[in-house]
Amino acid sequence: MIPASLKKPVAGIVLIVIIASVIIIYYYNNPTLGAWFPRCPVKLLTGYSCPGCGVQRAFHALLHGNLWQALAYNYFFVISVPYFILACVAILLKGKFTRFRRYVEGRTLALIYVVCYCVWFVVRNALEI
């Protein structure tokens, strides 16, 4: 059993290991060539591109420094990366910089993100991006 004083550091280490593992897997394996990468169920069932379609390919392209290729795969994901980074920093800063954390973790920014996500779904399929 893990003592309460060690639970937070252990959770942080586990999160870092998971993120590092995902980065390594996507850096060395191209999702367009790998058969074991999951396919989008929305696209398979409906034929429409969901807001997340192309994220795996865009992530692989970003890891290799191909910004334009990543944008071609999924604009919304590339634009969302700074928000994800800020959210991770906010998680790591628990108990510190409360004003920054309130902004990043606040309802307003989350609502804006969700609305943009839904708008991206409509725009992407209307323009066939």
Side-chain angles (χ1 to χ4, degrees):
M1 184 162 175
I2 300 173
S5 62
L6 291 178
K7 283 186 180 179
K8 288 183 182 179
V10 169
I13 292 170
V14 169
L15 180 64
I16 290 170
V17 168
I18 291 171
I19 290 171
S21 299
V22 168
I23 289 172
I24 290 168
I25 288 169
Y26 278 95
Y27 184 82
Y28 289 107
N29 297 291
N30 188 344
T32 58
L33 304 176
W36 58 277
F37 286 98
R39 303 289 181 237
C40 178
V42 174
K43 181 95 172 180
L44 291 173
L45 292 173
T46 66
Y48 291 112
S49 296
C50 78
C53 281
V55 167
Q56 295 179 88
R57 293 171 287 158
F59 186 57
H60 176 77
L62 280 178
L63 289 175
H64 288 276
N66 300 328
L67 177 64
W68 300 114
Q69 185 179 16
L71 282 168
Y73 288 133
N74 192 315
Y75 290 104
F76 188 75
F77 172 73
V78 175
I79 294 169
S80 298
V81 169
Y83 176 71
F84 292 138
I85 291 171
L86 287 175
C88 289
V89 169
I91 290 169
L92 294 173
L93 294 176
K94 288 285 186 197
K96 301 174 186 163
F97 302 102
T98 55
R99 189 173 185 186
F100 169 75
R101 285 188 46 243
R102 273 195 309 255
Y103 177 71
V104 173
E105 296 174 347
R107 282 185 167 163
T108 304
L109 196 56
L111 183 61
I112 290 170
Y113 184 83
V114 169
V115 168
C116 289
Y117 188 81
C118 294
V119 168
W120 171 240
F121 177 68
V122 173
V123 168
R124 151 175 250 190
N125 287 294
L127 299 178
E128 296 180 5
I129 298 175

